[in-house]
Amino acid sequence: MTDAPDRTPEHILVGVAWPYASGPRHLGHAAGAYVPPDIFARYHRMAGNKVLMVSGSDMHGTPITVAADKRGMTARELAEENHANIADSFRRLGLNYDNYTTTLTPTHYRVTQDFFTTLLEKGYLFEATQTAMYDPQAKRFLPDRYVEGTCPHCGYEDARGDQCDNCGRTLDPIDLLTPRSKITGATPETRETSHFFLDLPQFQEPLAAWVDEASVNWRPAVTGFVRGWLNEGLRARAITRDLDWGVPIPLEGYDDKRIYVWFDAVIGYLSASIEWAEKRGEPDAWKAWWSLDGQGNPPGRAYYFIGKDNVPFHAIIWPAMLMGYGGLALPYDVPANEFLTLDGLKLSSSRMYTARLPFLPEALELFDADALRFFLTINAPESRDTDFSWDEFQRRNNDELVATYGNAVHRLLSFLQSRYGGVVPTPGDLSEADRAMLAQIDTAFSEVAAKVEKVHLRDGLRGVMDLASHLNRYLDEAAPWKSIKTDPERAATSMWTALQAISALRVLSAPFLPFSAETLHGYLADEGSVHALPWEPRELPAGRQLPVPAPLFRKLDDDELAGLLDRLKPIVVETGEPT
RNA sequence: GCCGACGUAGCUCAGCGGCAGAGCAAGGGACUCAUAAGCCCUUGGCCGGAGGUUCGAUUCCUCCCGUCGGCACCA
């Protein structure tokens, strides 16, 4: 067992996509954006780095106002209700944020308005008039996708104003034949309205230069997407809307307009960091992750974990905003995941799912968080869309998590109880096989670390499972249940060696499976929390009395799974998104 | 239509210039500490299609097909 090399702790900012508070999040969101950063952050904390993991609920925007209208609530009431539920799901999933907040806090409003004012003063914002669709009955402006009509290209009658679902063409709502509002059905009018625009073309050259350098280790899909936009040439983008729900514009005479969601949501990474510092009474503490030094170098690495739908905001717009504001660190990596599909179909936040319901509140009620985290990580959509099905979930749970890892732990700890009274035996001379097993532990620590550092989390978890497999093979070969009758010292040495592997698995699995790792930590009669341990092998000393263990994971049999899923009632989630 | 990523064993996915890989499923075997779990062996692939570059291509290039995503007021 080697000591971890001493090194200077790095400051790692872990930004997590801001869930939209329009309704519950589903397993696809968890797989894409929420579980991965938690694993990454937990690993870096154990590796001795200074981690700041921030996110919050994105409370503004049109869909929330639409959903609130339908439910007879205010937008604030609806957003706060959904935020509470999302935060509860995240807690049950074991997501360990340093600060999980919302975009409704005074700090967020202040920081957003400061960003707006600074960019305006520096000449990166301008005001211009545009034509927009207006619903005279609802008395509100309509985003493009809230207008529907007949597609001018293919004649499809239910085309949305932004895109035709039938022929796939990008549309302008003004071109729709017989347009109608998706909210009221009324015929929309066109109206002139004035808005502020972020002048992205000013950042074209600096962004291109930054991407050339920064993207060396980015995922191909992310780099490809960003280069695509840059090659087309960036266009200015409106950052305000005719709404009464959002961060107010910090200028006189704009009471009927608000800063729009996507602009203030990304600023949330900064405002949540500042809020974290304020809460702990060290108002400047956030700067250790954000402020560039005199030479313009970042203080550490900033990672933004998102789904692929969010790439333009995190790899183009937010970097441009940070450049414009000045003095703040740009992203180091934007490890965007692809999507999780359900039985081969794209998941939607608003669609109704009956007996297959994959929303987080229901999933967490029926299954252990670690079982869900295991599936979502071992089959994570890191380089392409991956599929979720309850059959596959059951299979991965039973044949991999339970059979390989859970069983390795349970067979050993049970045998220790029955034949050694639960006391860790004293080893004799180590055999070559014993030494190979111990060497495998060291290898696992370095390999899993290397994978996680590269944000290859599924490979990282695979590495943990590989060690469990090694342990199973080692045990079968050492067969202490045989040698205990013929050579007790040999059996004791095998037991001690195997227990060291269990002790390692408890540490190695902690970022991925935080609940079962803590349980196992208890079964090893260790002190404190497994999550406070350093990322290195931890010796389980001979002579320690261990408690009677229970299996770490539940096996899901067919009848039980079917019964659980049958209990789910169809649930309609009103998110305010146009369908 | 244009741009991008992806297409590898029955399934879920690695590999990305030098004899095609893993897990699961399927078939066989030895064992019994364990949630009938684990271990060993075997079966199984024109690496989407067609050209090209190369001594050599699953890997690099071109075209085609398919899936997904983007095309800027969805976030």
Side-chain angles (χ1 to χ4, degrees):
Chain A
M1 307 209 179
T2 54
D3 292 325
D6 287 328
R7 54 189 182 82
T8 310
E10 284 185 88
H11 284 82
I12 308 286
L13 178 72
V14 178
V16 186
W18 287 56
Y20 195 50
S22 61
R25 299 297 90 182
H26 54 55
L27 291 173
H29 295 120
Y34 307 140
V35 171
D38 186 63
I39 294 167
F40 189 76
R42 286 177 181 278
Y43 160 77
H44 273 290
R45 292 188 193 107
M46 296 177 86
N49 290 321
K50 306 279 193 191
V51 173
L52 182 61
M53 173 164 146
V54 293
S55 189
S57 299
D58 185 358
M59 310 289 266
H60 299 305
T62 300
I64 286 177
T65 64
V66 173
D69 284 352
K70 284 187 184 168
R71 290 183 53 184
M73 308 167 75
T74 66
R76 175 178 295 269
E77 285 166 350
L78 177 66
E80 285 181 341
E81 179 184 305
N82 286 329
H83 164 67
N85 290 333
I86 292 169
D88 181 59
S89 287
F90 283 6
R91 184 186 53 72
R92 290 158 70 195
L93 241 195
L95 306 185
N96 194 12
Y97 294 93
D98 293 292
N99 189 22
Y100 186 81
T101 179
T102 78
T103 55
L104 284 181
T105 67
T107 301
H108 181 70
Y109 274 47
R110 189 186 80 230
V111 173
T112 299
Q113 292 182 335
D114 172 51
F115 233 95
F116 183 96
T117 303
T118 301
L119 292 179
L120 184 65
E121 285 170 354
K122 289 190 167 188
Y124 296 123
L125 302 184
F126 64 88
E127 206 174 355
T129 300
Q130 61 177 189
T131 305
M133 306 300 274
Y134 183 83
D135 181 335
Q137 194 170 323
K139 293 188 169 50
R140 62 191 299 162
F141 281 89
L142 296 170
D144 289 355
R145 62 191 179 125
Y146 283 85
V147 179
E148 65 184 356
T150 302
C151 174
H153 301 288
C154 71
Y156 180 62
E157 291 183 2
D158 296 321
R160 288 185 356 185
D162 55 343
Q163 188 162 37
C164 173
D165 286 337
N166 186 52
C167 69
R169 282 206 171 74
T170 307
L171 304 177
D172 192 310
I174 290 172
D175 298 331
L176 286 177
L177 312 171
T178 64
R180 54 194 184 272
S181 164
K182 295 205 84 161
I183 297 173
T184 64
T187 302
E189 312 168 349
T190 57
R191 285 199 181 182
E192 295 291 301
T193 178
S194 173
H195 283 296
F196 285 93
F197 287 72
L198 176 63
D199 196 4
L200 284 169
Q202 288 195 51
F203 299 98
Q204 173 85 31
E205 292 308 319
L207 275 175
W210 170 69
V211 167
D212 279 344
E213 220 170 281
S215 68
V216 285
N217 293 316
W218 290 8
R219 294 179 179 173
V222 176
T223 309
F225 186 99
V226 171
R227 289 196 194 288
W229 269 40
L230 289 171
N231 289 341
E232 271 188 59
L234 297 179
R235 296 171 233 166
R237 194 171 170 116
I239 63 165
T240 54
R241 293 291 187 280
D242 293 285
L243 276 177
D244 59 5
W245 180 236
V247 179
I249 296 168
L251 297 170
E252 293 294 324
Y254 291 90
D255 289 348
D256 55 348
K257 297 178 195 292
R258 292 292 185 274
I259 294 171
Y260 199 53
V261 256
W262 62 259
F263 185 83
D264 86 88
V266 287
I267 295 172
Y269 297 110
L270 178 61
S271 67
S273 299
I274 292 172
E275 185 187 65
W276 167 83
E278 289 168 346
K279 278 184 189 165
R280 72 196 324 255
E282 299 171 46
D284 287 333
W286 61 276
K287 292 180 178 171
W289 285 268
W290 284 93
S291 293
L292 303 180
D293 67 14
Q295 283 76 50
N297 296 311
R301 289 182 275 163
Y303 289 81
Y304 292 88
F305 288 81
I306 59 172
K308 62 179 165 183
D309 54 330
N310 237 329
V311 169
F313 295 98
H314 293 79
I316 296 173
I317 293 171
W318 178 229
M321 290 166 65
L322 288 164
M323 284 178 180
Y325 188 87
L328 298 174
L330 269 53
Y332 174 83
D333 193 6
V334 184
N337 272 347
E338 306 295 304
F339 288 148
L340 192 72
T341 57
L342 176 70
D343 295 327
L345 300 172
K346 187 184 171 185
L347 285 173
S348 157
S349 302
S350 55
R351 195 176 301 158
M352 182 178 82
Y353 295 96
T354 56
R356 304 178 178 286
L357 221 143
F359 285 97
L360 288 174
E362 288 75 22
L364 285 160
E365 194 169 314
L366 297 176
F367 306 104
D368 293 338
D370 277 0
L372 293 168
R373 289 176 64 120
F374 177 79
F375 181 90
L376 297 178
T377 304
I378 205 73
N379 195 33
E382 289 180 355
S383 59
R384 65 170 108 175
D385 290 354
T386 60
D387 193 49
F388 178 91
S389 66
W390 290 111
D391 282 351
E392 183 70 0
F393 172 69
Q394 178 189 29
R395 209 226 84 211
R396 293 268 191 187
N397 181 76
N398 291 356
D399 298 341
E400 297 185 22
L401 182 62
V402 172
T404 302
Y405 175 39
N407 186 245
V409 170
H410 194 62
R411 66 193 295 207
L412 185 60
L413 293 183
S414 298
F415 189 66
L416 188 77
Q417 289 296 325
S418 64
R419 304 307 292 271
Y420 292 87
V423 178
V424 179
T426 302
D429 292 336
L430 295 179
S431 69
E432 196 169 316
D434 300 336
R435 276 191 284 270
M437 181 70 245
L438 296 176
Q440 202 56 237
I441 292 172
D442 288 330
T443 302
F445 273 94
S446 57
E447 286 189 349
V448 174
K451 297 297 188 187
V452 175
E453 291 274 358
K454 289 195 288 187
V455 206
H456 293 174
L457 304 180
R458 56 186 298 156
D459 285 346
L461 181 52
R462 189 84 261 159
V464 178
M465 295 301 288
D466 285 347
L467 183 63
S469 290
H470 268 281
L471 173 59
N472 277 322
R473 283 195 288 276
Y474 168 83
L475 273 177
D476 269 66
E477 202 164 313
W481 46 91
K482 282 183 184 170
S483 58
I484 193 170
K485 298 169 188 162
T486 57
D487 187 349
E489 182 177 309
R490 183 88 288 277
T493 307
S494 299
M495 288 299 291
W496 179 87
T497 302
L499 285 164
Q500 302 315 311
I502 296 290
S503 180
L505 283 167
R506 162 259 314 239
V507 181
L508 288 162
S509 69
F512 302 92
L513 309 170
F515 297 99
S516 58
E518 193 76 303
T519 302
L520 182 52
H521 188 71
Y523 291 161
L524 298 179
D526 216 332
E527 299 173 342
S529 166
V530 68
H531 302 293
L533 295 179
W535 184 258
E536 61 191 26
R538 181 168 176 83
E539 184 172 338
L540 183 64
R544 180 179 291 174
Q545 171 75 52
L546 306 190
V548 175
L552 281 180
F553 307 104
R554 286 190 297 138
K555 191 167 179 176
L556 302 168
D557 67 41
D558 293 348
D559 290 343
E560 183 188 13
L561 188 69
L564 289 170
L565 294 175
D566 276 350
R567 272 203 269 137
L568 291 170
K569 297 287 183 241
I571 293 179
V572 178
V573 176
E574 179 54 71
T575 62
E577 300 281 347
T579 49

